[in-house]
Amino acid sequence: NAGVTQTPKFRILKIGQSMTLQCTQDMNHNYMYWYRQDPGMGLKLIYYSVGAGITDKGEVPNGYNVSRSTTEDFPLRLELAAPSQTSVYFCASSYLLLAGDSYEQYFGPGTRLTVT
Amino acid sequence: GQQVMQIPQYQHVQEGEDFTTYCNSSTTLSNIQWYKQRPGGHPVFLIQLVKSGEVKKQKRLTFQFGEAKKNSSLHITATQTTDVGTYFCAGRNDYKLSFGAGTTVTVRA
């Protein structure tokens, strides 16, 4: 299994441009997440999905959109890129979170995005 | 909402020494997870604690969950250069995890 894969690894955008960050997992996980990581700030949840066709906002959703048409794929769309969106983006997936229990999250290698 | 705080933010350790990093939540947690991120890498799951007062060990790493399930700690003994990285704790929040800001560990040889 490849686990969680993300493309591209690096990207430089100009202000106002748009792009899609791709995320694919081959572990048949129903839960998928997008995080951004700024230096010294930990991981902030952007959007998450509990299954195909179902998405919800996290802590910092403004400026982003997601879709989940299949179990495997969870792309993140940036519209009108701004310098504040310069960050490292991680996609993650996990099994069903049962009541009172949790499962580990598997992270992809990340996408380093710079907006100038 | 739930907040998870970690201290210290940075830990500079002499090789061979022990240290502890702490995680505190503003609310009671159903469980807590710990992750490690090597420089330039992605977070990797280390362990999950579920029961009040639970203690788990992984070689030189000892993880503890507080009796009130509002705090946790990670203790590393005889620190090695392979321990370099950022250690995150994460508390369960509905269908999501709330991550602390992490403790970044550097090691002096």
Side-chain angles (χ1 to χ4, degrees), chain A residues 32-33 45 47-50 54-58 74, chain B residues 95-96:
Chain A
M32 295 188 75
Y33 310 84
L45 182 65
Y47 271 96
Y48 68 102
S49 170
V50 302
I54 306 170
T55 62
D56 206 349
K57 297 178 180 179
F74 191 39
Chain B
Y95 299 108
K96 310 177 292 292

Side-chain angles (χ1 to χ4, degrees), chain A residues 31 37 97 101-102 105 108, chain B residues 31 35 37 42 92 95-96:
Chain A
Y31 281 70
Q37 184 176 36
L97 297 181
D101 200 357
S102 291
Q105 291 192 8
Chain B
N31 55 58
Y35 290 77
Q37 183 178 23
H42 59 276
R92 167 83 179 271
Y95 299 108
K96 310 177 292 292

